[in-house]
Amino acid sequence: MTEKNTDYGRLCIGKKEELFARAAALAAEPQARAREKVFTWALTGGLTPLEWYDWCVRARALPPALLAAAQFTVSDERHVPLTSDESNFGHAARRLLDPLGVPSAQRHPWPVRPVPAVAAEAYRHAWTALAGPGRAYDVCFLGLGDDAHTASIFPGSPLLSSFAKAAEDKPADSSAGLDLFVALETSKGPRLTITPAGLRACGLIVIMTLGAGKAPALKRIFAGPYDPPKAPAQILKTCADRVVWLVDEAAAKEI
Ligand code: 6PG
């Protein structure tokens, strides 16, 4: 595995299994340090996590202490029932939490029965009660879309413009007054998502991406101009000291 610090976080390039093992270790380390307090971990959507879940179960990669302590959610969600093939938490439940026997008390899916705005409000309340005010996730896993989106922050998202405006108004704390979690209509339908301010309120962000199809997006992020409305994952620059990129060699071939 090769590693270097970049403007967007620590960039680790390696083989898939090395990256999978690193992802498990990255979640376990802060949990081991945080024994006395609630430890929250957001999983994410896409095909990469599904492969990683299967690997974790097969390799028994997640330590029992982590599984016993972690409170699980997902960084973003479609407004669909857990049983849907579109549900990010549903996939995490079926492929990781069920096989590993994680009890329901440690599962915190986004509510999806109420209309999206009400669901987001309910999630914000529940999350503040669980994690404390102003806190997002101790560990947040993310994926990268071919269009360089992450979570449900797509190119041109209003979340990027409100974050940029807040950063201009209050450079010392660009998250002040912004919600950490919201519902919004996107080009891919209604979504519930962590926001840029929420990403800044995470302890650690792990963004894992695999395959040659991601090479152009990674090139735009790491080698292109800073332009989050076009390459939303560049927003991670604002919390780069807490971001780790896990990228396989095929995806990294242009950076
Ligand atoms: C979504 C997807 C998406 C996903 C990335 C990466 O909600 O639109 O879940 O955000 O995380 O597209 O997907 P892969 O893991 O399949 O590359």
Side-chain angles (χ1 to χ4, degrees), residues 44-50 76-78 86 88 142-147 149-152 154 188 191 208-210 214:
T44 196
L47 297 178
T48 310
L50 299 187
D76 62 311
E77 188 58 282
R78 296 168 176 85
E86 294 274 286
N88 290 341
L142 295 173
L144 179 71
D146 295 356
D147 59 358
H149 83 263
T150 195
S152 288
F154 296 97
K188 303 207 174 166
R191 294 292 182 104
M208 181 153 59
T209 193
L210 308 176
K214 304 294 179 182

Side-chain angles (χ1 to χ4, degrees), residues 215-242:
L218 286 163
K219 185 178 178 189
R220 275 167 54 207
I221 293 162
F222 286 93
Y226 182 68
D227 190 1
K230 293 208 177 108
Q234 285 183 327
I235 201 73
L236 295 174
K237 189 174 186 176
T238 64
C239 49
D241 58 330
R242 281 166 283 134

Side-chain angles (χ1 to χ4, degrees), residues 121 124 175 177-182 194-198:
E121 182 63 20
R124 284 195 292 270
S175 305
L178 295 179
D179 285 326
L180 307 186
F181 311 105
V182 296
I194 191 167
T195 64

